[in-house]
Amino acid sequence: MNLSFDTGMVPKQWLDAIVTPVPKVAKPASLTDYRPISVTPLLSRLAEKLVVRRWLYPVISPGLLDDQFGFRPTGSTTCALTSLLHHVTVMLERCSYVRCLMIDFSKAFDLVRHPILLSKLNVLNLPDCAINWIISYLTGRTQVVKCNSSISLPASINTSIVQGSGIGPMLYAIMESDLHTMSLMNMLIKYADDTNLLVPSDSDVGLTEEFSHVKHWADENRMVINILKTKEIVFRRPNPRLCINPAPISAVQQVTSAKLLGITLCDTLRFDVHVGNVLKMCSQRIYLLKLLRDQGLPRHHLNTVFDALVLSRLRYAIPAWGGFLSAELKGQVNSVLKRAFKYGFCSRLYTIEAIAEDADTELFCKMTRAHHCAHSLLPPVKSCTHYLRPKGHTYELPRCDSELYKKSFVPRCLFRYM
């Protein structure tokens, strides 16, 4: 590895990959329904991660990846969703609606042009050996496709950043790092190639102009926007006195609910549909636990399976959506958890309130660290150093004019731990 790094040359054996098609949907009907994950040599993946850790991370300037929540040490889908809902509720404090454009890039990883990517890498303060190593890594690659026991003939590839590799995700984040909004009032929230554009109703640059700017960036970078999969959702308060949705963008469907990073979002920020989908899945998995119990699986093993199949689904991104649940939705979730405890599938009785509070505490503690990707969501620290009683944090409490903003993650935790 050191010889490879010093010379800037990647061994030829590392440039061959076996592509394993992974279905994107439950019942794939065409080749586009598969994700081409490349299985590269183990030594190559270790070397790639060293390149990312040793050279790429140190030269990433502050602010370059602030809107990207994927492929970062502290990034996650939970942070991306939490940030999106935080900014939406903040914007709704002062305006009547927020337009959210969920932009879909077709085959984003596979269409990355190497010359364009290298021009952006040259802007970073990378040593020559690192640049040469990345060039060598991207040049002369071949791949074969393996399906069951059949293997195709080798084919050369001159685009893409190799899905499934150790360096590919960070290279894509750098590729899209120069995509910004035209107005400071608007916001981009990215997770990998999922790009979401937020434009409030009082913005000085409308959604049409911002989308044209994104399309211009895509044309310059040889990327393709899939208009058919690009959706717009208009967030508004649950009970507005007068609600008139803006006219949709040409060729872009305007919807009242959409699935983003595994969470179903509704235009009124209610999560009835999402909770219904989660409970349906949990009920199916509880039935599986019943079959395992009938086959004689011990109770402590049932608890392990329950934690892996049911609790994990409830915990997923719950800091983002847990605070918006109504008493009725909480009762529905608790009813399922109570039934699972009654049948002996878990060792103790869980409640959705306790699950959400534990997840909130864990994420909030991580966010207070300055290097965390969502640290910028926190308000300034109070200048006063004298307190009449111990406090859970030293941050200023935000002003909440609506219950909707107070239910979002950051205000919810700040008021809870004061």
Side-chain angles (χ1 to χ4, degrees):
M1 286 187 184
N2 287 330
L3 179 61
S4 174
F5 296 150
D6 292 340
T7 60
M9 297 296 294
V10 176
K12 189 178 186 310
Q13 296 90 336
W14 293 3
L15 301 179
D16 302 326
I18 300 175
V19 174
T20 303
V22 178
K24 297 181 183 179
V25 294
K27 296 180 180 180
S30 63
L31 291 178
T32 56
D33 293 333
Y34 290 92
R35 197 182 304 277
I37 301 301
S38 296
V39 180
T40 54
L42 177 60
L43 286 178
S44 175
R45 293 200 299 275
L46 292 174
E48 294 163 38
K49 292 179 180 179
L50 284 173
V51 170
V52 172
R53 190 180 307 122
R54 182 184 297 181
W55 286 309
L56 291 181
Y57 279 151
V59 299
I60 299 297
S61 60
L64 184 66
L65 298 179
D66 280 355
D67 54 3
Q68 175 64 262
F69 292 89
F71 318 135
R72 297 175 61 183
T74 60
S76 66
T77 54
T78 299
C79 292
L81 290 164
T82 299
S83 178
L84 184 140
L85 291 175
H86 172 81
H87 289 297
V88 167
T89 53
V90 167
M91 293 174 178
L92 287 177
E93 286 280 277
R94 66 174 193 270
C95 62
S96 57
Y97 61 80
V98 176
R99 304 181 71 175
C100 176
L101 190 65
M102 302 175 182
I103 304 170
D104 183 86
F105 288 104
S106 296
K107 300 184 179 297
F109 282 67
D110 299 329
L111 293 181
V112 172
R113 299 297 196 272
H114 297 162
I116 298 175
L117 172 62
L118 293 174
S119 67
K120 298 183 181 184
L121 288 173
N122 284 327
V123 177
L124 304 177
N125 191 25
L126 284 170
D128 292 340
C129 60
I131 291 286
N132 292 333
W133 194 93
I134 295 173
I135 293 174
S136 178
Y137 175 82
L138 295 174
T139 305
R141 298 197 65 88
T142 61
Q143 66 182 27
V144 296
V145 179
K146 183 178 181 181
C147 185
N148 297 327
S149 58
S150 301
I151 299 179
S152 70
L153 294 175
S156 299
I157 54 174
N158 53 15
T159 59
S160 89
I161 49 172
V162 191
Q163 291 195 56
S165 64
I167 196 174
M170 179 51 65
L171 292 180
Y172 181 81
I174 294 173
M175 178 72 182
E176 202 179 350
S177 62
D178 59 346
L179 174 58
H180 304 294
T181 58
M182 300 173 65
S183 170
L184 295 177
M185 299 180 67
N186 303 329
M187 184 81 53
L188 275 174
I189 306 292
K190 308 171 188 172
Y191 185 86
D193 59 334
D194 287 311
T195 304
N196 305 281
L197 175 61
L198 298 179
V199 178
S201 60
D202 60 350
S203 176
D204 53 349
V205 177
L207 184 63
T208 302
E209 292 80 4
E210 287 283 10
F211 189 40
S212 297
H213 173 67
V214 174
K215 288 191 289 186
H216 178 69
W217 177 91
D219 292 339
E220 284 191 335
N221 290 270
R222 307 289 294 276
M223 305 290 284
V224 178
I225 296 177
N226 189 340
I227 295 294
L228 296 179
K229 290 187 178 181
T230 298
K231 309 292 183 185
E232 180 194 355
I233 183 171
V234 182
F235 292 108
R236 52 186 174 82
R237 296 183 183 182
N239 299 304
R241 294 181 179 178
L242 178 63
C243 179
I244 301 177
N245 280 357
I249 300 177
S250 176
V252 175
Q253 183 182 5
Q254 198 174 83
V255 297
T256 57
S257 63
K259 195 169 185 179
L260 176 64
L261 300 177
I263 301 297
T264 303
L265 299 175
C266 177
D267 58 351
T268 57
L269 292 180
R270 293 178 59 90
F271 287 87
D272 305 63
V273 177
H274 175 69
V275 171
N277 294 335
V278 170
L279 292 184
K280 181 180 179 180
M281 185 179 298
C282 289
S283 297
Q284 294 171 347
R285 296 178 178 185
I286 287 176
Y287 177 73
L288 174 62
L289 286 166
K290 177 181 180 299
L291 298 179
L292 293 174
R293 184 195 61 187
D294 295 343
Q295 294 294 325
L297 189 68
R299 181 164 182 171
H300 62 282
H301 290 321
L302 284 173
N303 181 74
T304 302
V305 178
F306 177 82
D307 191 13
L309 296 185
V310 179
L311 287 185
S312 63
R313 194 65 193 88
L314 290 172
R315 290 188 181 119
Y316 175 69
I318 196 171
W321 55 272
F324 297 94
L325 296 183
S326 62
E328 180 183 359
L329 292 178
K330 291 179 182 178
Q332 294 176 11
V333 179
N334 287 334
S335 177
V336 172
L337 293 172
K338 186 176 180 180
R339 186 169 75 249
F341 176 72
K342 177 183 176 181
Y343 293 151
F345 299 144
C346 50
S347 58
R348 64 186 180 92
L349 178 60
Y350 292 92
T351 63
I352 190 62
E353 292 87 354
I355 293 172
E357 184 173 353
D358 290 344
D360 284 355
T361 302
E362 181 181 0
L363 180 57
F364 184 75
C365 291
K366 292 178 179 178
M367 283 178 58
T368 56
R369 302 167 189 166
H371 67 275
H372 196 273
C373 64
H375 180 76
S376 59
L377 300 182
L378 296 173
V381 176
K382 285 185 177 180
S383 58
C384 179
T385 58
H386 302 285
Y387 299 100
L388 298 178
R389 60 180 177 82
K391 293 181 178 291
H393 61 82
T394 59
Y395 298 100
E396 295 181 0
L397 295 178
R399 176 179 175 178
C400 301
D401 294 329
S402 67
E403 282 296 316
L404 200 61
Y405 175 47
K406 196 170 184 178
K407 290 178 180 179
S408 64
F409 175 76
V410 173
R412 187 171 73 243
C413 290
L414 290 175
F415 283 101
R416 177 187 295 167
Y417 304 127
M418 62 179 295

